[in-house]
Amino acid sequence: MNIRHIQLEDARQFANLLTSVDSSNTMLFEPGERKTSTEQEEKRIESILLQTNSTIIVAEVAEQLVGYLVVLGGHCNRNRHSAYLVIGVLEEYRGKGIGKRMLTEAFHWGKSAGLTRLGLTVIKHNERAVRLYEKMGFQVEGEKVHSLMMNGQPVNELYMYRLL
């Protein structure tokens, strides 16, 4: 397994990875809801890579992208030190340390980029993800009640953070 930062030529695989991870029904987008293309992802990757406080980290197995961690840094002077994380791993690769390795890379990269705070949201009942984040030093700072509707039922999200 290789953990690395995304390159522009990864756009096609990255677009496919996003829609595949969405099919797990643990992400913001419902299965099949995200509409993206290689061209759209090329533009997004280009835009993110131009920012000094943002990046995309990917996990690769046999030249196939199997996980991603998007680090989105703040755009104003007062929040440039802070970034929001979005992480996804293909279902068949979960529980193999990929999330941990991508987060570890994000921590190292974030420190070198001048970040001091990382935040994320997670569906409260996604206990596996919550345990990973807690193990990696994230703390719950709040709960957004009925923030999402899943299968016609309201679910809560946890807001979590980690200082670098």
Side-chain angles (χ1 to χ4, degrees):
M1 176 188 10
N2 185 30
I3 303 297
R4 62 176 176 82
H5 291 259
I6 201 161
Q7 300 168 0
L8 202 50
E9 48 273 8
D10 293 320
R12 182 187 54 75
Q13 272 199 61
F14 185 61
N16 292 336
L17 177 63
L18 290 171
T19 56
S20 295
V21 170
D22 289 345
S23 69
S24 70
N25 209 24
T26 57
M27 304 299 284
L28 177 61
F29 286 95
E30 291 182 350
E33 181 180 8
R34 185 189 306 258
K35 306 297 180 214
T36 191
S37 67
T38 299
E39 294 75 24
Q40 288 171 310
E41 293 310 320
E42 279 178 354
K43 287 178 184 171
R44 181 158 69 141
I45 291 167
E46 259 183 339
S47 172
I48 286 173
L49 294 181
L50 287 173
Q51 300 171 43
T52 59
N53 63 348
S54 298
T55 192
I56 302 173
I57 297 164
V58 293
E60 185 179 49
V61 174
E63 299 183 19
Q64 176 72 31
L65 298 185
V66 299
Y68 64 87
L69 192 160
V70 179
V71 181
L72 297 171
H75 295 287
C76 304
N77 288 334
R78 292 184 177 178
N79 72 353
R80 275 191 212 292
H81 70 285
S82 180
Y84 180 77
L85 305 181
V86 179
I87 186 169
V89 177
L90 291 174
E91 275 189 272
E92 59 268 29
Y93 288 93
R94 292 180 187 163
K96 299 181 186 304
I98 292 173
K100 179 180 179 180
R101 289 189 54 196
M102 289 191 301
L103 284 166
T104 299
E105 172 58 23
F107 300 160
H108 293 304
W109 178 87
K111 283 181 186 177
S112 70
L115 297 176
T116 61
R117 183 184 198 284
L118 300 175
L120 56 83
T121 59
V122 60
I123 296 168
K124 184 178 181 179
H125 68 260
N126 188 348
E127 295 171 5
R128 190 178 201 177
V130 172
R131 277 193 312 273
L132 169 65
Y133 301 142
E134 288 175 340
K135 187 169 126 181
M136 297 300 292
F138 285 85
Q139 297 178 31
V140 174
E141 64 182 339
E143 183 171 339
K144 191 171 182 183
V145 177
H146 289 203
S147 63
L148 301 173
M149 293 296 287
M150 295 182 72
N151 302 318
Q153 298 297 313
V155 296
N156 298 357
E157 282 181 293
L158 298 178
Y159 282 81
M160 301 182 81
Y161 77 97
R162 183 185 195 276
L163 300 180
L164 298 178

